[in-house]
Amino acid sequence: IDDLIQTIVNLLIGRIKYSTYFQRILLSHTMKSLKYHIYTLLLITMSCNQKKEQLNVSVYETSANGNKLTTVTEFPSSDVTDTIVLIPSQQFQVITGFGGSFTESSAYLLNQIGKENRKKIIDAYFSPEGANYSLTRTHINSSDFSLSNYSYAPVEGDKELKHFSVQEDQDDIIPFIKEAMAASEDGFKILSSPWTSPPWMKDNKSWVGGKLLPEYYDTWALFFSKYIDAYKAEGIDIWGLTVENEPLGNGNNWESMHYTPDEMTNFVQNHLGPKLEADGKGAVKILGYDQNREHLNEWVDSMYKDEASSKYFDGTAIHWYASTYEVFPEALQYAHKKDPTKHLIQSEACVDAEVPKWQDDKWYWSKEATDWGWDWAPEKDKHLHPKYAPVNRYARDIIGCLNNWVDGWIDWNMVLDTKGGPNWFKNWCVAPVIVDPEKDEVYFTPLYYTMAHFSKYIRPGAVRIGFENSDDSLLVTAAQNPDGSTAVIVFNQSIETKSFLLSLGERSENVTISAQAIQTILIN
């Protein structure tokens, strides 16, 4: 087809006076752009030929007009002017998974509602008929989304951790995980993160802020090993660990513990990594950093400085709170290039600093939400924190992350109440599923369906593939699943319906996406 396109180009150059349309292209684009435009026209023309083989597609849409993972089988007839061309020969990262987090707050709320709604929520997240979550997170010791401060090692000076116990999780988090395991056919990975060590191990003896005292580095490494054993005894395997949630701190508001990049690298290289290896837990993944992307470069520079420093790191964890819409693609690309063999996983995201809107789908599609930075960001960073639509933020970020080497994306709380809690610090946030425990009612927000567009159809082991998209207003990503199917995610941010020609090899299909909508197109 390249030879054919070149012939057409040569003919057009000789006959340009007969086509002002192509004259405009020649005046404004390079020869490469012209070739691509002709290729697009050829695809559209060939799609009109009834003998042309069509793609076997299943289309699922969630939209502001009311679709919720709705199967779409009929598309309004319209002039197709845009194309999305899949390029399976271009292969990028292997996908680890998508999912949410087992917090004490979510587990507590599930204990407060009826058995029927509890099962409904767990099935909705973990069953094949639901979102089929494949990658999850939980907290080690308490977090802000706990009901109180607690540690698995409360006895001060217990350097050998003889009194270590996960009893605090026995009534809520552990049962939640076990029921999720029962609902899931494919299983899911668990990434565990501490917000802080027990206060007695820190220089300020407080739940908030401070640093781990060097004399307790080995004890803290032992703590991780015992945690893995304790959950294993409950029948729960821990896939990976992050060293510390938000090591740069969080304004000294809730549980936290600080590291510099070199301090964390030292702890992993000389204490945590060797301890897990010595205890036969070398297969458990260790992810460094675990905070916002704008500081990612300096952390991977330390973690992957040389073979000795990078030996025990399996990847890097990141958060999205530095901006409501900026993906920081340069930082993600830098982290990947620093060591292409390592994981790059989004370990936490949520609509923060907001009280959830109850049974109000329209709000989740409207540009009304604000994040912490709307009020608190320094003036120089205010532009990173404008008002936003929650669905847009999720869809834009997941697609942007995938297109810049991120291989896993984990939402924060799976379930919160109508106040955005419970939370001991009153740090209210939004979750994809909201419950009213007093009335035993459940609200699946549009964020739940947005997450499902990825988690349900892009499965672990999928490989992200390349594409060419002629409409910049459509956000696109695509992956080939282990079963041979191809999942294409398209997000239409505009208030206009869009039509495009989707092509894979010699097959193609005309698709229409509603205004303000996200689609998963599954090609079998």
Side-chain angles (χ1 to χ4, degrees), residues 104-267:
E104 187 185 26
S105 295
S106 293
Y108 168 83
L109 287 170
L110 288 178
N111 287 346
Q112 305 308 304
I113 62 176
K115 291 183 179 180
E116 183 178 341
N117 274 335
R118 178 187 179 96
K119 186 177 189 309
K120 179 180 180 180
I121 293 170
I122 292 175
D123 285 348
Y125 274 125
F126 291 98
S127 74
E129 294 74 29
N132 208 6
Y133 274 7
S134 54
L135 179 64
T136 66
R137 188 186 188 213
T138 191
H139 48 87
I140 297 173
N141 298 323
S142 62
S143 71
D144 49 325
F145 278 92
S146 297
L147 275 65
S148 63
N149 304 130
Y150 65 82
S151 169
Y152 306 139
V155 179
E156 185 168 355
D158 182 17
K159 296 188 72 170
E160 296 181 3
L161 301 181
K162 294 179 179 180
H163 301 282
F164 182 96
S165 172
V166 294
Q167 182 64 39
E168 287 281 356
D169 298 346
Q170 293 284 358
D171 296 330
D172 38 53
I173 293 177
I174 288 174
F176 184 11
I177 294 175
K178 287 183 176 180
E179 289 177 46
M181 292 168 62
S184 174
E185 289 187 4
D186 296 335
F188 52 86
K189 297 177 175 65
I190 301 174
L191 180 67
S192 299
S193 306
W195 267 233
T196 181
S197 73
W200 56 267
M201 294 186 189
K202 298 164 67 175
D203 57 6
N204 67 351
K205 308 302 180 186
S206 171
W207 292 102
V208 180
K211 291 192 175 188
L212 183 67
L213 290 167
E215 65 194 83
Y216 291 115
Y217 275 23
D218 286 335
T219 300
W220 187 226
L222 173 62
F223 189 104
F224 283 94
S225 184
K226 282 185 167 289
Y227 168 80
I228 295 168
D229 286 339
Y231 264 67
K232 181 72 172 178
E234 295 289 339
I236 300 171
D237 289 326
I238 300 302
W239 173 78
L241 305 164
T242 72
V243 184
E244 168 61 34
N245 176 73
E246 300 183 348
L248 296 173
N250 49 48
N252 290 332
N253 295 321
W254 48 82
E255 292 96 332
S256 58
M257 187 166 72
H258 300 169
Y259 289 90
T260 66
D262 287 346
E263 285 170 344
M264 181 178 287
T265 297
N266 170 49
F267 174 67

Side-chain angles (χ1 to χ4, degrees), residues 11-30:
L11 286 171
L12 286 172
I13 291 172
R15 298 173 61 84
I16 193 66
K17 63 182 180 179
Y18 297 113
S19 178
T20 58
Y21 176 72
F22 284 105
Q23 186 177 28
R24 288 197 302 271
I25 295 177
L26 283 173
L27 289 172
S28 61
H29 295 287
T30 62

Side-chain angles (χ1 to χ4, degrees), residues 1 4 38 71 81 102 111 147 178 185 199 206 213 262 337 341 355 418 427 435 480 484 496 498 506:
I1 196 167
L4 175 60
I38 294 172
T71 301
T81 59
F102 298 101
N111 287 346
L147 275 65
K178 287 183 176 180
E185 289 187 4
S206 171
L213 290 167
D262 287 346
K337 291 176 182 177
T341 68
V355 174
T418 56
N427 174 32
V435 299
Q480 284 189 332
E496 297 178 355
K498 299 268 188 174
E506 297 183 353

Side-chain angles (χ1 to χ4, degrees), residues 445-463:
T445 77
L447 298 179
Y448 164 79
Y449 300 99
T450 303
M451 285 295 304
H453 273 279
F454 298 90
S455 61
K456 187 177 179 70
Y457 301 107
I458 301 180
R459 302 303 298 158
V463 178

